[in-house]
Amino acid sequence: QVQLVESGGGLVQPGGSLRLSCAASGSIFSIGAMGWYRQAPGKQRELVAGITSGGRTNYADSVSGRFTISNDAAKNTVYLQMNSLKPEDTAVYYCYAELRTYGSNSYLTYWGQGTQVTVSS
């Protein structure tokens, strides 16, 4: 089986920074992409940022220029550096990984349990 374990959420003041981490473990043959979604109360889950195994990144317009996604392929880990945080960034952040397990011929999406990020003074 596959597990995605997130860390790094918390409470931060507006203008502050946080760094999220997500490590994938288990019977992983190959990872195609990893990234982050978020969901605020009463809103739909939205893509924040993603990174492919080739290093190509994409960002939501609302975070572009403030957030940076990176990965460590050797550790099956993805990071999200969040700077200049705003109250509207408050949400539960979910890590995802599109990966192929041993014995499988297809890539499936796996999810972490979510980590709360609260931006408030």
Side-chain angles (χ1 to χ4, degrees), residues 105-121:
N105 293 323
S106 58
Y107 284 83
L108 298 177
T109 302
Y110 293 80
W111 295 91
Q113 79 284 0
T115 186
Q116 177 70 46
V117 171
T118 302
V119 184
S120 175
S121 55

Side-chain angles (χ1 to χ4, degrees), residues 62-107:
S62 58
V63 307
S64 183
R66 299 187 297 122
F67 292 9
T68 302
I69 190 168
S70 61
N71 68 340
D72 184 335
K75 296 181 179 180
N76 290 338
T77 298
V78 64
Y79 307 97
L80 186 67
Q81 178 66 43
M82 305 185 293
N83 298 329
S84 302
L85 282 160
K86 305 175 181 179
E88 50 263 44
D89 294 317
T90 296
V92 178
Y93 284 68
Y94 296 92
C95 170
Y96 74 91
E98 297 172 0
L99 60 85
R100 180 180 159 191
T101 57
Y102 286 99
S104 173
N105 293 323
S106 58
Y107 284 83

Side-chain angles (χ1 to χ4, degrees), residues 15-74:
S17 299
L18 281 175
R19 188 190 194 213
L20 304 183
S21 300
C22 172
S25 63
S27 183
I28 299 171
F29 176 76
S30 174
I31 295 179
M34 295 185 75
W36 299 88
Y37 276 71
R38 68 185 180 186
Q39 187 167 21
K43 295 188 176 182
Q44 289 189 330
R45 189 176 294 193
E46 63 174 355
L47 176 67
V48 177
I51 185 167
T52 69
S53 58
R56 191 165 57 237
T57 60
N58 64 295
Y59 295 93
D61 289 343
S62 58
V63 307
S64 183
R66 299 187 297 122
F67 292 9
T68 302
I69 190 168
S70 61
N71 68 340
D72 184 335

Side-chain angles (χ1 to χ4, degrees), residues 2-27:
V2 173
Q3 279 192 318
L4 272 64
V5 179
E6 301 142 334
S7 60
L11 173 64
V12 63
Q13 291 187 341
S17 299
L18 281 175
R19 188 190 194 213
L20 304 183
S21 300
C22 172
S25 63
S27 183

